[in-house]
């Protein structure tokens, strides 16, 4: 390429040979293209709604020279059309764009139908059965996938012209089907209510693009609800009315008078609820008031069985378990057995699990119906292993019905139980607690167990802390540490952090708690890779994929979970059958995490599994979640992220044999005592801290608990 032609405008047409990089959220693409008049391939960089290998690409733009990659064609516009040559058609179909067609079948189709292959699929799909290996089911699957791809592409082109990325476009199509364009044109703000992963800013950009006036009442109403939903995502249940108007005004640049009118409209429509000067999303107001009322009602009703003689029961449990309870444990057992509703709280190693085990044995001895539950599958599994009694996640206990989009067990169909013990209560948000309490019969006894010093729930509310702080429900706090045997630095250090004390650092042989100093991000990453690939497996025998979890405060930036997952996948699982979707490469053997509740599949936000089967031809995966195989279609894969590394928030409720925790000043905005405390308590047998002592000290010193706007404590105190 001559130097003086670097900025001349050109139009190129050729076949897409390979896709080097694709950001599904923005459509940003780097691909190689074979142009007829050139011997070598051309690298094209630009934004395209949808692109597949084998397609004919028409690009307009200029030549630029990248300092590392050399000459590239910087495209201002990229338009793809279906290929017309036999080679192009074969590569196009072999790219995975049509489910049911892989490389071998693509070759046979082109041998059978030549340049008419795409026309046959589109107009005469019955003829596909002339090709060996295609029966009625496969023909139908190919045809349906072909129709879907074309519909999605049309919608993608429409949405991209209004600033929506391709991954979001796929979700929009999944929600609305062929009605997507009509729905969006009528009310673009419907997107952020109906479509997972579409926020107000995206919907607002589409609205501006299709001509919604900036100061319209429609935009004002949507902005108010979005502001409330943003606050809920930060953990708040309500916002003061004056603050809501100010925050919405800063977001929308709309006069306060219009916003006040819009607020009145949303209150009238019952989207929002007013309680004095507090504004709630209606669902959160109903949940908060119902939780307070239900806890007090449970506390005041009679139990459904004869009272237990507490002293005898405690003595019997000691004899059965062949141990002697500490005075504090005796008090906790007495409270749990005597009260209709009770709370047991405390950090790691203080005997909460022992208390649960003893309670289960006592209630079993009385032949009572007991239910054990926890918010996550891993927490429920640990509970079952400790007590030798079945434990379920809350969603499975309450039996979510996807068809009705609600739980089968509620006030009209309560659980058939005498006692429920609920563990890891710090993780439970106000909405889930509402559904849980709603399903308990009046006669039921309830024991809530959790660590109030851990991070609060991801969802809105601060349920466990509010219940304890109300002083209305009987509560026992355990603080004597029992697990301080040799090599028990994990438990000791967790309590040191919780008390604001310096860590015990002992990197000698036999320790279960290590610190590796690293200042620069590149050095941190290098040490993490050494630990997970070589040092920990060789010294402790842990499996890098099954046993070791990398924890980091953030999702974004160089030391965030997203970047670390790419590096860890390359190090731990570099080869194998794979499916590429939404900018990620999923390989057989990958460790993955579900990032939204999927009630149809019965997998929930934070569940971790292993990819056990990849069908590159069908673009599908099977993921093993603790022995349950769950199938994922191509359109479901945006619900899965890699989980070699995850945020500390996402690790709540889980324990791992070994954890590697990143702590650097790069994360300074998130460095808090309860964050480090939560991270350390995730490790069962080994904890490795990697980073800077300064960052660790910052986290330990920062005990400013970010206050959440909730009123559960006051409601309980008033009702009690």
């Amino acid at each position: 390429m001559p130097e003086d032609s670097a900025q001349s405008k050109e139009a190129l047409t050729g076949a897409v040979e390979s896709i080097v990089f694709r950001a599904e959220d923005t459509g940003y693409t780097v691909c190689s293209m074979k142009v007829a008049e050139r011997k070598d391939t051309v690298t094209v960089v630009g934004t395209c709604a949808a692109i597949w290998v084998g397609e004919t690409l028409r690009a307009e733009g200029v030549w630029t020279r990248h300092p590392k990659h050399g000459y590239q064609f910087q495209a201002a516009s990229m338009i793809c059309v279906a290929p017309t040559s036999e080679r192009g058609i074969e590569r196009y179909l072999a790219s995975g764009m049509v489910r049911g067609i892989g490389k071998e079948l693509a070759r046979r189709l082109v041998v059978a139908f030549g340049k008419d292959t795409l026309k046959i699929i589109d107009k005469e799909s019955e003829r596909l059965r002339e090709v060996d290996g295609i029966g009625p089911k496969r023909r139908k699957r190919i045809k349906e996938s072909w129709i879907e791809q074309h519909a999605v592409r049309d919608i993608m082109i429409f949405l991209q012209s209004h600033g929506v990325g391709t991954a979001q476009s796929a979700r929009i199509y999944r929600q609305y089907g062929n009605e997507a364009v009509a729905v969006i044109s009528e009310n673009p703000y419907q997107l952020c209510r109906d479509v997972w992963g579409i926020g107000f800013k995206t919907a607002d950009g589409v609205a501006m693009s299709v001509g919604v006036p900036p100061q319209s009442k429609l935009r004002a109403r949507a902005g108010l609800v979005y502001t409330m939903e943003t606050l809920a995502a930060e953990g708040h249940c309500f916002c003061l009315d004056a603050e809501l108007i100010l925050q919405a005004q800063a977001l929308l640049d709309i006069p306060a008078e219009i916003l006040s009118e819009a607020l009145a409209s949303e209150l009238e429509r019952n989207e929002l609820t007013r309680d004095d000067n507090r504004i709630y999303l209606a669902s959160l107001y109903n949940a908060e008031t119902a939780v307070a009322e239900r806890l007090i009602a449970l506390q005041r009703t009679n139990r459904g069985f004869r009272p237990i003689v507490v002293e005898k029961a405690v003595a019997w449990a000691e004899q059965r378990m062949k141990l002697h309870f500490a005075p504090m444990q005796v008090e906790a057992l007495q409270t749990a057995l005597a009260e209709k509703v009770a709370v047991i709280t405390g950090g790691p190693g203080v005997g909460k699990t022992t208390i649960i085990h003893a309670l289960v044995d006592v209630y079993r001895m009385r032949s009572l119906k007991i239910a054990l539950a926890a918010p996550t599958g891993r927490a429920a599994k640990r509970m079952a292993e400790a007590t030798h009694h079945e434990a379920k996640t809350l969603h499975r206990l309450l039996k979510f019905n996807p068809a009705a989009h609600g739980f089968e067990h509620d006030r009209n169909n309560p659980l058939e139980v005498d006692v429920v013990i609920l563990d890891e209560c710090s993780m439970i948000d106000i909405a889930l607690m509402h559904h849980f309490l709603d399903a308990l019969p009046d006669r039921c006894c309830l024991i809530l167990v959790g660590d109030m010093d851990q991070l609060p729930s991801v969802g809105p509310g601060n349920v466990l802390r509010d219940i304890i702080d109300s002083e209305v429900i009987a509560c026992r706090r355990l603080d004597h540490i029992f697990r301080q045997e040799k090599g028990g630095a994990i438990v000791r250090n967790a309590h040191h952090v919780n008390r604001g004390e310096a860590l015990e650092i002992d990197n000698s042989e036999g320790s279960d708690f290590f610190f590796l100093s690293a200042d620069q991000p590149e050095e941190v990453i290098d040490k993490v890779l050494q630990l997970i690939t070589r040092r920990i497996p060789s010294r402790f025998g842990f499996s890098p994929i099954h046993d070791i979890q990398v924890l980091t405060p953030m999702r974004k930036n160089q030391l965030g979970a997203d970047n670390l997952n790419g590096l860890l996948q390359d190090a731990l699982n570099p080869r194998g059958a794979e499916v590429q979707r939404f900018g990620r490469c999923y390989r057989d053997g990958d460790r993955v995490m579900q990032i939204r509740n999927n009630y149809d599949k019965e997998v929930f936000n934070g569940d971790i599994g292993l990819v056990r089967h990849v069908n590159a031809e069908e673009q599908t995966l099977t993921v093993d979640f603790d022995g349950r195989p769950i199938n994922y279609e191509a359109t479901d894969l945006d619900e899965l992220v890699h989980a070699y590394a995850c945020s500390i928030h996402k690790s709540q409720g889980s324990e791992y044999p070994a954890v590697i925790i990143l702590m650097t000043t790069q994360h300074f905005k998130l460095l808090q005592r309860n964050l480090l405390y939560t991270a350390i308590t995730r490790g069962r047998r080994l904890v490795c801290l990697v980073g800077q002592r300064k960052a660790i000290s910052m986290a330990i010193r920062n005990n400013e608990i970010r206050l959440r706007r909730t009123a559960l404590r006051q409601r309980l105190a008033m009702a009690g």
Side-chain angles (χ1 to χ4, degrees):
M1 179 63 55
E3 290 288 341
D4 59 1
S5 66
Q7 289 299 317
S8 58
K9 292 184 179 180
E10 286 190 39
L12 296 180
T13 301
V16 178
E17 289 288 304
S18 66
I19 298 170
V20 180
F21 175 78
R22 172 79 173 160
E24 293 288 351
D25 54 342
T26 62
Y28 176 79
T29 302
V30 180
C31 67
S32 64
M33 180 172 78
K34 186 73 177 73
V35 182
E37 59 270 22
R38 295 176 63 94
K39 290 183 179 180
D40 57 338
T41 57
V42 172
T43 298
V44 180
V45 178
T47 301
C48 189
I51 188 168
W52 295 95
V53 170
E55 286 187 303
T56 298
L57 173 63
R58 295 172 186 159
E60 292 184 2
V62 297
W63 288 98
T64 61
R65 183 161 60 183
H66 190 279
K68 182 178 180 182
H69 303 295
Y71 279 105
Q72 299 178 335
F73 191 75
Q74 189 72 44
S77 68
M78 296 170 69
I79 299 172
C80 290
V81 295
T84 55
S85 70
E86 291 186 5
R87 180 177 179 277
I89 291 169
E90 182 179 335
R91 287 174 61 79
Y92 180 53
L93 293 176
S95 68
M97 62 86 63
V98 179
R99 292 194 305 277
I101 300 179
K103 291 181 180 179
E104 175 57 28
L105 184 54
R107 185 190 65 77
R108 286 190 275 122
L109 284 167
V110 173
V111 168
F113 302 120
K115 293 182 179 180
D116 292 332
T117 301
L118 300 185
K119 186 181 75 173
I120 297 293
I121 295 173
D122 189 36
K123 305 291 186 184
E124 305 172 51
S125 64
E126 278 296 331
R127 289 192 58 194
L128 295 176
R129 295 177 64 183
E130 297 172 16
V131 177
D132 287 344
I134 300 182
K137 288 184 179 179
R138 198 170 200 180
R139 181 209 69 81
K140 183 181 178 184
R141 191 160 66 249
I142 290 170
K143 178 66 174 179
E144 287 175 349
S145 180
W146 176 264
I147 292 170
E148 180 184 321
Q149 285 296 337
H150 280 260
V152 169
R153 169 163 287 188
D154 290 343
I155 289 166
M156 281 179 175
I157 292 169
F158 167 80
L159 290 170
Q160 191 181 46
S161 69
H162 298 298
V164 180
T166 52
Q168 294 168 321
S169 300
R171 294 187 198 121
I172 291 168
Y173 176 78
R174 199 187 315 169
Q175 177 70 30
Y176 301 124
N178 294 329
E179 299 298 313
V181 174
V183 171
I184 293 163
S185 299
E186 181 179 346
N187 181 6
Y189 295 106
Q190 200 68 29
L191 288 172
C192 52
R193 297 195 179 190
D194 295 345
V195 184
W196 172 72
I198 303 281
F200 174 81
K201 291 182 180 178
T202 298
D204 196 39
V206 174
M208 297 296 99
S209 184
V210 300
V212 174
Q215 296 191 5
S216 68
K217 193 172 180 180
L218 176 67
R219 183 167 182 257
R221 283 170 36 206
L224 285 167
V225 173
Y226 167 73
T227 301
M228 290 300 304
E229 288 172 341
T230 301
L231 292 168
E234 294 171 2
H236 303 292
C237 289
F238 68 82
C239 180
L240 300 179
D241 49 10
E243 289 181 10
L244 175 59
I245 297 295
L246 286 173
Q247 289 196 39
Q249 198 170 12
L251 171 73
L252 303 169
D253 193 23
I254 290 178
E257 302 79 43
I258 295 175
L259 288 168
S260 295
E261 291 176 12
L263 176 57
S265 176
E266 290 302 286
L267 291 169
E268 188 176 335
R269 286 157 44 97
N270 292 323
E271 289 287 332
L272 302 177
T273 298
R274 178 186 289 279
D275 181 31
D276 293 329
N277 64 338
R278 297 182 291 224
I279 304 296
Y280 286 80
L281 290 168
S283 60
L284 293 184
Y285 175 79
N286 293 336
E288 190 177 82
T289 53
V291 166
E293 291 169 1
R294 193 76 194 107
L295 281 170
I296 298 301
L298 278 172
Q299 189 183 49
R300 291 176 176 171
T301 50
N302 294 324
R303 67 184 71 211
F305 54 90
R306 286 184 296 106
I308 293 171
V309 180
V310 175
E311 290 74 12
K312 287 185 178 179
V314 171
W316 177 86
E318 281 186 322
Q319 185 178 14
R320 178 177 174 80
M321 297 175 70
K322 298 178 181 177
L323 52 79
H324 182 69
F325 296 128
M328 197 172 293
Q329 290 179 304
V330 172
E331 290 178 5
L333 279 169
Q334 289 173 339
T335 300
L337 291 168
E339 298 288 341
K340 186 91 174 340
V341 182
V343 176
I344 298 170
T345 187
V350 296
K352 296 192 301 293
T353 301
T354 301
I355 298 294
I356 294 173
H357 190 176
L359 289 169
V360 169
D361 283 351
V362 169
Y363 291 131
R364 269 177 171 169
M365 184 265 294
R366 288 286 299 269
S367 301
L368 298 175
K369 294 178 180 177
I370 314 162
L372 304 184
T376 67
R378 286 174 176 255
K381 186 177 180 181
R382 288 202 317 273
M383 208 177 181
E385 289 169 351
T387 61
H388 309 294
H389 187 90
E390 182 186 29
K392 297 180 179 179
T393 64
L394 279 171
H395 289 90
R396 293 198 179 97
L397 178 70
L398 303 180
K399 293 185 180 177
F400 189 85
N401 184 337
H405 204 72
F407 292 104
E408 290 183 13
H409 289 294
D410 55 19
R411 290 300 292 155
N412 298 318
N413 181 32
L415 294 161
E416 284 293 323
V417 289
D418 298 308
V419 180
V420 177
I421 303 175
L422 183 57
D423 199 7
E424 294 285 0
C425 288
S426 63
M427 293 183 63
I428 301 172
D429 63 33
I430 194 71
L432 187 54
M433 183 60 84
H434 169 215
H435 290 299
F436 166 67
L437 294 175
D438 205 37
L440 299 185
D442 290 341
R443 70 176 188 278
C444 178
C445 288
L446 173 63
I447 298 141
L448 304 173
V449 183
D451 184 350
M452 66 181 285
D453 294 318
Q454 284 189 21
L455 290 168
S457 58
V458 174
N462 204 351
V463 176
L464 180 63
R465 183 174 288 274
D466 281 351
I467 290 172
I468 293 170
D469 288 348
S470 74
E471 299 183 353
V472 170
I473 306 297
C475 175
R476 290 295 178 190
R477 179 163 190 147
L478 305 171
D479 57 15
H480 178 77
I481 308 170
F482 295 96
R483 289 203 332 245
Q484 294 199 73
E485 69 278 4
K486 184 180 178 183
I490 294 174
V491 172
R492 292 197 302 276
N493 275 323
H495 286 275
H496 284 319
V497 169
N498 205 23
R499 292 192 291 259
E501 300 166 355
L503 296 176
E504 294 179 31
I505 302 297
D506 177 11
N507 289 352
S508 63
E509 189 80 28
S511 178
D512 63 356
F513 194 100
F514 296 86
F515 170 71
L516 278 71
S517 177
D519 288 324
Q520 298 304 316
E522 294 79 11
E523 187 184 4
V524 173
I525 289 170
D526 183 57
K527 289 194 174 180
V528 167
L529 290 173
Q530 286 182 40
L531 283 168
I532 200 167
T533 59
R534 181 170 54 84
R535 295 177 64 177
I536 293 177
S538 64
R539 182 166 172 180
F540 297 95
F542 292 128
S543 162
I545 291 180
H546 295 89
D547 299 330
I548 307 171
Q549 181 66 55
V550 177
L551 300 178
T552 178
M554 302 183 75
R555 193 169 65 87
K556 299 293 185 183
N557 82 21
Q558 192 175 358
L559 296 179
D562 290 351
N563 185 54
L564 290 169
N565 271 314
L567 298 171
L568 290 165
Q569 184 193 38
D570 290 343
L572 300 175
N573 195 27
R575 289 176 294 277
E578 63 183 42
V579 170
Q580 295 199 24
R581 190 75 172 172
F582 301 114
R584 295 188 183 93
C585 173
Y586 302 90
R587 293 195 185 109
D588 198 356
D590 269 343
R591 181 183 175 95
V592 292
M593 177 187 287
Q594 177 79 12
I595 58 170
R596 70 182 292 249
N597 290 339
N598 187 318
Y599 298 104
D600 294 317
K601 297 182 187 298
E602 286 195 23
V603 286
F604 304 102
N605 189 1
D607 285 356
I608 289 179
L610 291 171
V611 177
R612 288 302 189 195
H613 178 69
V614 173
N615 188 326
E617 189 171 280
E618 296 286 342
Q619 297 282 288
T620 60
L621 302 178
T622 300
V623 180
D624 184 311
F625 289 99
D626 290 324
R628 289 193 317 123
I630 304 295
N631 297 321
Y632 286 80
E633 298 291 327
T635 52
D636 299 328
L637 293 180
D638 57 340
E639 297 183 6
L640 288 176
V641 297
H642 294 98
Y644 300 103
C646 73
S647 70
I648 295 169
H649 276 86
K650 283 286 188 185
S651 73
Q652 283 179 270
S654 296
E655 275 189 356
Y656 313 94
V659 296
I660 301 170
I661 304 166
L662 277 61
M663 278 280 143
T664 73
T665 53
Q666 193 177 91
H667 305 126
F668 73 95
K669 289 184 178 179
L670 294 173
L671 295 178
Q672 286 182 287
R673 186 181 296 178
N674 61 356
L675 183 89
L676 179 57
Y677 174 73
T678 299
I680 290 172
T681 55
R682 301 309 92 200
R684 193 161 60 244
R685 295 165 58 191
L686 179 68
V687 169
C688 290
L689 273 171
V690 182
Q692 299 159 301
R693 289 181 182 271
K694 181 180 178 181
I696 295 169
S697 297
M698 287 170 64
I700 292 172
R701 286 197 307 268
N702 183 8
N703 195 32
E704 292 182 13
I705 296 171
R706 293 176 183 172
L707 294 177
R708 293 185 167 197
R709 288 272 175 84
T710 73
L712 178 61
R713 179 178 64 80
Q714 294 92 322
R715 295 184 195 283
L716 282 168
M718 288 174 63

